[in-house]
Amino acid sequence: MEGMLFHAFVYLAAAVVAVPVAHRLGLGSVLGYLIAGILIGPVLGLVGAETKDIQQVAEFGVVLMLFLVGLELEPKLLWQMRGRLLGLGGLQVGLTALAIAALAFSLGLYWGLGLAVGLVFAMSSTAIVIQTLSEKGLTKTEGGRASFAVLLFQDISVIAVLALIPFLAQPEPLALAAWLSAAAGDNSAAQGAAGLVAGLPNWGYALVVLGAVATVVLGGHYLSRPLFRYIAESRLREVFTASALLLVVGTALLMTLVGLSPALGTFLAGVILATSEFRHELRSDIEPFKGILMGIFFITVGAGIDLPLLFGDFATLLGLTLGVMGLKALVLLALARLFRLRAGDRWLFALSLAQAGEFGFVLLGFCVQNGVVPTGLARTLSLVVALSMLLTPALFILYDRLIAPRLRNGKGPAPDTIEEEGTVVIAGIGRFGQIVNRLLVAAGIETVVLDHRADQIDLLRKLGIKSYYGDASRPDLLHAAGLARARLFIVAIDDRDRAVEMVDYCRRTYPQVRILARAYDVGHLYLLKQAGADLAVREVFDTSLGLGAAALRELGMHPYKVERMTRAFRRHEAAGLAGMYDLWDQDPDIARNLALQARIREHVGTLQDALNSDRMQLHDRTERGWTPPSRGFSREPD
Amino acid sequence: MSNAPGSTKVDEAVGRRRILVLFAHPSLERSEVNGPLAAATARVEGVTLVDLYAEYPTFDFNVDLEQERLLAHDALCFMYPLYWYSTPAILKEWQDLVLERGFAYDAAAPALQGKVFFNALTAGGPEAAYCAAGYNHLTIRELLSPLEQMSRLCGMVFLPPFALFGARTAVEDGRLAGHIADWVRVLEALRDHRLDLAAAAPRTKLNADLDAIIRGA
Ligand SMILES: Cc1cc2nc3c(=O)[nH]c(=O)nc-3n(C[C@H](O)[C@H](O)[C@H](O)COP(=O)(O)O)c2cc1C
């Protein structure tokens, strides 16, 4: 217990110290974590043997990350990506691996060894790249999307590579047995896998895998929603969070049992849930866990660096690293050209994916296990992988400082569609929000709708209205709904205090977003204005006026005269409200605010005047229009 | 009736003329010619462009504000696509409400006395149709006679319309850019007192031979 607390303390302290500093310096959080790891590991020696155990936990961060990535990707989108995924991704892995293998072969290494090393280096770091791209807001750019497609392909291809590696061993007597059994097709695909599927014949294994995938897809689609709805109705936040974690852990476990990549499984689960109403809620629940675990993962990478070996032959290692990154970048640039990315995106794509990645470590370990790569070489290569990951933030800085500014000076900002998140966020989709939303959607405006009543959301979804479950007064959920990029925030909830809190929060956190709010009455309207709403409208004002107008028409008044009177009434009301705000603002407590009292009395007084002594006052004002010439008017020549 | 252009006091004023353009197009998003024309207008210094349909989507005019605007300018222009040989509805409503008795007419000091009034319009029909022999039988100026008489009653100086005919094909025929350039030229000349009002007044349309009515630069 003490030991665990101590290590937790050391890890967290290192992160808390190093990451903000790195962030301030513009290095990005990933480099901060890596530096923190180097500090507490090889430099200070505070942590050591247990990094391996912690790494396993931390790798779960990658799993969570892929779940979140999946959550952002609707199946439709994935299908649209298929060309890039297979073309760009497949060519990147294939060409990079072959180039490195050819190089190794020309140096006299065994071809299998060369190819294995090539495959190790073909992988990039999903963790670093996705984290950095989203930190810099580049995920939605063309370059970001292309990078993502390649990373996704790499993650998927890891499974195939794991299956391939045993065949690459040099046929020595010792390795021969493994090779033979592998070549005989005996459970080859499940080599790296544990548990359930050991000893199954290939067709059985295939069936189990299919079953597992089907469980994730069907379960995710049909079972998870009623479950989440049931939990949501209980209104227990932490239970919802627990069930979100349960879903991810369960999926990961299932995948591990059948020998598939847990990251891939949860990615799939994410994609399945991407269209569900719980998407934003799930995202804001899982994100903090992912953030911390990913951080720890990067720290373990830093802590695991073998400093003596590194500095023993630093020049060679650095040369190797730069060579690998250069080669990868060349392949990427060529592909970017082939797939017609624009100049800026091309550089982003090539620089962001030039490093080797965390799967490199996994594959190297597996290679050693299978006698494909000797232990000594593997340790050196591990360092190359780590070093290249360490250099990645520098490449992003290069892009930020050198390439991005030049592009901006050139042809103006890239016309990417960053507005995808929906330009309007609507909180509250009851009777009020629904009408607002219907109008906006009919006008072709993208909206994101949030409500905390799961049954309501369910019903709306059945009617084909895109809406999400979640308590819209929670900052993280508002963030997940894309408020940072929204043009408008519409507060249409019926909870007065929360509405004011929400407006206040949004005004302080997202000053650029315009806020329109539903007010209960004049007092509430003033409170909303004070909190920073750009516009607040009383919820029943228009309808009441409409009914009043209908009454006048019922009484036989000419409809157009009624129309003119209601317009005059509206103007009178608006002027009155505007006139009283300043007084109210000085002291909202009417009991103490004498000036406001006087003003309200005056307001009531003029209203009574208008109604009793001079009924025609309102009337006269509207009557100003269309005044005919005087009866005797005729234009005399001058 | 002192309507002879040369004798108005505004024309002799030393300062620039301030021009108010009241723009009326009810479906601007579909406009091919009036939209660009209005955009160019907004960029001319000394010109105030008011998009009436944007400012008064329910025709609920702020009459006081509109009258103040008139007082603050020396020339008034209605800018619109020709709809049924007249202006779009909002410009009619504007006249009915803003040109009040006691303000614009039947007043001790008619507010618009001596100001310049003219129309900038676009018509779908070809120019050849707007004459006695054409299918519209009347010239564009004849069709605008209610507006001409309105301005006369208010003591304003009426100029013939600045008109673009065949507006539906102006873009594909490549006539729009030249028309806009002419329009900016006219606005600047009117602003800087370089437009010969007396020479322009009897014409059927303003933009026939600009060199003949614009002095200098
Ligand atoms: C309701 C309506 C009435 C019209 N009446 C006339 C007309 O009387 N004479 C004419 O030449 N064009 C007429 N047109 C054509 C418009 O003048 C023409 O579409 C317009 O000048 C094009 O300008 P825009 O591209 O800015 O909309 C009419 C168009 C509409 C929609």
Side-chain angles (χ1 to χ4, degrees):
Chain A
M1 185 66 189
E2 260 174 56
M4 194 195 95
L5 282 180
F6 173 72
H7 285 127
F9 179 78
V10 170
Y11 273 84
L12 292 175
V16 168
V17 172
V19 175
V21 173
H23 201 79
R24 276 281 156 77
L25 297 176
L27 303 175
S29 64
V30 173
L31 196 53
Y33 284 119
L34 289 172
I35 292 169
I38 296 176
L39 281 180
I40 60 172
V43 172
L44 298 177
L46 290 176
V47 294
E50 83 295 334
T51 34
K52 275 261 170 318
D53 300 332
I54 293 179
Q55 197 155 12
Q56 274 182 0
V57 178
E59 269 166 14
F60 193 64
V62 180
V63 170
L64 290 181
M65 185 184 69
L66 276 161
F67 176 70
L68 291 174
V69 165
L71 216 45
E72 294 294 297
L73 264 190
E74 299 181 17
K76 209 171 58 191
L77 233 88
L78 201 59
W79 182 244
Q80 280 169 7
M81 267 175 61
R82 66 194 187 280
R84 288 228 159 138
L85 199 65
L86 296 178
L88 210 51
L91 284 174
Q92 187 271 335
V93 172
L95 290 180
T96 310
L98 285 180
I100 292 176
L103 212 64
F105 190 65
S106 68
L107 292 175
L109 288 177
Y110 175 64
W111 67 268
L113 173 61
L115 191 58
V117 173
L119 286 168
V120 165
F121 284 131
M123 302 300 157
S124 308
S125 172
T126 310
I128 294 186
V129 179
I130 303 261
Q131 181 105 349
T132 315
L133 285 178
S134 72
E135 246 171 51
K136 296 189 184 298
L138 294 169
T139 35
K140 300 272 161 70
T141 62
E142 275 301 296
R145 282 180 211 260
S147 303
F148 180 74
V150 170
L151 289 169
L152 199 57
F153 180 85
Q154 291 177 355
D155 293 349
I156 297 170
S157 68
V158 165
I159 303 156
V161 174
L162 284 174
L164 180 72
I165 282 176
F167 297 94
L168 298 179
Q170 195 157 12
E172 288 171 54
L174 204 145
L176 198 60
W179 188 79
L180 277 179
S181 72
D186 173 22
N187 193 12
S188 60
Q191 273 289 348
L196 281 184
V197 289
L200 280 183
N202 265 355
W203 60 266
Y205 177 64
L207 270 186
V208 171
V209 167
L210 274 181
V213 171
T215 308
V216 172
V217 172
L218 297 178
H221 198 75
Y222 293 106
L223 276 180
S224 70
R225 286 182 183 194
L227 182 72
F228 282 135
R229 206 168 297 135
Y230 173 71
I231 294 165
E233 267 151 22
S234 76
R235 301 271 177 104
L236 296 169
R237 278 224 48 208
E238 65 284 357
V239 178
F240 194 93
T241 307
S243 60
L245 276 176
L246 177 69
L247 172 92
V248 179
V249 172
T251 311
L253 180 66
L254 181 68
M255 290 296 126
T256 319
L257 284 179
V258 302
L260 288 181
S261 146
L264 203 70
T266 51
F267 170 75
L268 193 63
V271 173
I272 303 294
L273 286 168
T275 49
S276 96
E277 60 270 47
F278 299 100
R279 170 178 160 195
H280 292 296
E281 180 81 358
L282 284 170
R283 174 147 80 128
S284 53
D285 276 345
I286 296 286
E287 215 147 43
F289 293 100
K290 174 218 105 179
I292 290 195
L293 288 179
M294 285 306 291
I296 295 178
F297 174 80
F298 292 128
I299 296 182
T300 59
V301 171
I305 284 179
D306 186 344
L307 278 190
L309 181 61
L310 179 65
F311 288 116
D313 199 356
F314 187 65
T316 316
L317 274 174
L318 190 65
L320 256 179
T321 309
L322 292 178
V324 168
M325 293 178 84
L327 189 84
K328 286 190 76 166
L330 278 182
V331 171
L332 289 164
L333 272 179
L335 286 178
R337 201 166 258 276
L338 187 69
F339 278 76
R340 302 224 167 80
L341 291 186
R342 276 190 313 250
D345 292 313
R346 228 181 273 162
W347 281 105
L348 178 64
F349 177 68
L351 291 180
S352 67
L353 295 177
Q355 80 294 98
E358 53 276 1
F359 280 120
F361 297 122
V362 178
L363 291 180
L364 273 174
F366 195 60
C367 285
V368 172
Q369 227 171 291
N370 283 275
V372 179
V373 177
T375 318
L377 181 61
R379 279 179 61 191
T380 310
L381 294 182
S382 280
L383 272 180
V384 172
V385 173
L387 212 52
S388 76
M389 286 167 79
L390 266 174
L391 287 176
T392 303
L395 292 188
F396 273 109
I397 293 170
L398 193 74
Y399 174 82
D400 270 352
R401 300 268 155 89
L402 286 182
I403 295 168
R406 216 182 300 163
L407 291 172
R408 245 170 268 139
N409 293 343
K411 296 162 212 132
D416 277 322
T417 47
I418 307 190
E419 295 283 1
E420 200 195 55
E421 286 287 337
T423 49
V424 178
V425 177
I426 301 178
I429 188 72
R431 294 165 304 143
F432 197 100
Q434 272 177 47
I435 299 210
V436 176
N437 187 54
R438 269 166 58 195
L439 179 64
L440 294 185
V441 169
I445 309 288
E446 284 256 4
T447 61
V448 175
V449 168
L450 306 169
D451 202 291
H452 68 292
R453 283 177 49 196
D455 49 346
Q456 180 81 355
I457 291 293
D458 190 34
L459 181 69
L460 289 172
R461 291 200 143 231
K462 283 193 183 122
L463 300 175
I465 296 170
K466 228 169 137 189
S467 34
Y468 299 95
Y469 163 77
D471 179 353
S473 64
R474 276 175 45 203
D476 51 349
L477 191 77
L478 290 177
H479 180 76
L483 202 51
R485 269 160 292 173
R487 295 265 308 277
L488 294 183
F489 179 41
I490 296 177
V491 181
I493 61 171
D494 57 4
D495 183 326
R496 283 187 250 178
D497 297 337
R498 277 207 180 165
V500 175
E501 278 165 31
M502 234 183 245
V503 169
D504 181 57
Y505 170 78
C506 176
R507 179 44 73 235
R508 278 185 288 113
T509 318
Y510 308 102
Q512 78 289 356
V513 177
R514 285 185 68 80
I515 306 173
L516 315 185
R518 158 192 184 177
Y520 178 78
D521 56 13
V522 177
H524 191 225
L525 184 143
Y526 284 161
L527 284 171
L528 290 166
K529 284 239 156 199
Q530 190 182 43
D534 294 289
L535 174 74
V537 292
R538 276 175 291 164
E539 56 187 20
V540 296
F541 181 77
D542 269 286
T543 34
S544 319
L545 202 56
L547 192 73
L552 290 177
R553 287 194 297 270
E554 288 289 336
L555 293 171
M557 197 178 275
H558 189 285
Y560 199 60
K561 187 173 168 191
V562 173
E563 172 66 24
R564 273 142 49 205
M565 285 182 68
T566 46
R567 283 183 188 187
F569 186 96
R570 205 183 284 278
R571 273 197 297 269
H572 174 80
E573 187 73 8
L577 284 187
M580 274 186 282
Y581 177 75
D582 283 338
L583 290 175
W584 174 88
D585 198 26
Q586 284 157 20
D587 184 0
D589 184 356
I590 301 178
R592 282 184 318 197
N593 190 334
L594 296 178
L596 182 58
Q597 285 176 19
R599 187 57 151 281
I600 292 173
R601 272 198 305 274
E602 187 192 321
H603 191 71
V604 173
T606 54
L607 203 69
Q608 274 174 342
D609 277 353
L611 288 173
N612 301 325
S613 61
D614 182 11
R615 266 177 47 224
M616 288 297 109
Q617 195 188 336
L618 207 61
H619 177 216
D620 282 342
R621 287 168 60 86
T622 66
E623 215 39 22
R624 177 174 172 193
W626 302 280
T627 312
S630 58
R631 294 191 197 281
F633 176 74
S634 73
R635 186 116 173 18
E636 305 292 332
D638 287 336
Chain B
M1 296 269 295
S2 66
N3 253 352
S7 68
T8 62
K9 60 178 188 291
V10 180
D11 199 31
E12 287 148 10
V14 189
R16 288 170 153 193
R17 271 201 196 88
R18 295 156 301 172
I19 305 172
L20 176 63
V21 178
L22 297 182
F23 175 63
H25 196 302
S27 59
L28 201 47
E29 72 288 347
R30 276 187 300 175
S31 163
E32 288 174 16
V33 294
N34 280 280
L37 216 47
T41 308
R43 286 193 292 269
V44 179
E45 214 189 303
V47 174
T48 309
L49 180 79
V50 175
D51 182 345
L52 285 180
Y53 276 106
E55 209 159 309
Y56 302 109
T58 60
F59 286 36
D60 194 11
F61 287 104
N62 181 342
V63 173
D64 291 328
L65 173 66
E66 290 308 306
Q67 292 181 346
E68 277 163 31
R69 275 182 174 149
L70 286 174
L71 292 174
H73 292 83
D74 308 305
L76 170 65
C77 170
F78 285 179
M79 186 171 186
Y80 53 90
L82 191 70
Y83 281 3
W84 287 116
Y85 308 105
S86 182
T87 70
I90 201 168
L91 275 168
K92 182 66 170 63
E93 184 90 323
W94 181 92
Q95 294 171 62
D96 298 351
L97 290 170
V98 178
L99 302 180
E100 275 182 317
R101 165 176 129 201
F103 172 78
Y105 71 97
D106 199 6
L112 306 176
Q113 188 75 44
K115 296 184 194 293
V116 174
F117 174 75
F118 68 118
N119 294 274
L121 61 89
T122 66
E127 186 156 15
Y130 286 90
C131 66
Y135 65 77
N136 286 323
H137 299 295
L138 299 167
T139 67
I140 189 66
R141 176 158 184 169
E142 286 164 347
L143 285 164
L144 297 183
S145 45
L147 287 166
E148 183 164 356
Q149 181 53 30
M150 173 275 280
S151 73
R152 197 177 293 138
L153 188 84
C154 296
M156 294 196 278
V157 178
F158 183 81
L159 294 183
F162 185 90
L164 175 71
F165 295 97
R168 304 288 298 134
T169 56
V171 173
E172 59 179 274
D173 300 344
R175 286 182 285 127
L176 184 57
H179 185 72
I180 290 178
D182 283 351
W183 171 238
V184 171
R185 195 175 161 210
V186 164
L187 279 178
E188 287 173 347
L190 178 65
R191 176 192 69 192
D192 302 336
H193 298 274
R194 287 185 287 105
L195 185 69
D196 186 340
L197 302 186
R203 293 181 165 202
T204 299
K205 71 171 193 179
L206 196 54
N207 48 325
D209 177 12
L210 289 182
D211 288 335
I213 55 169
I214 292 178
R215 288 188 297 264

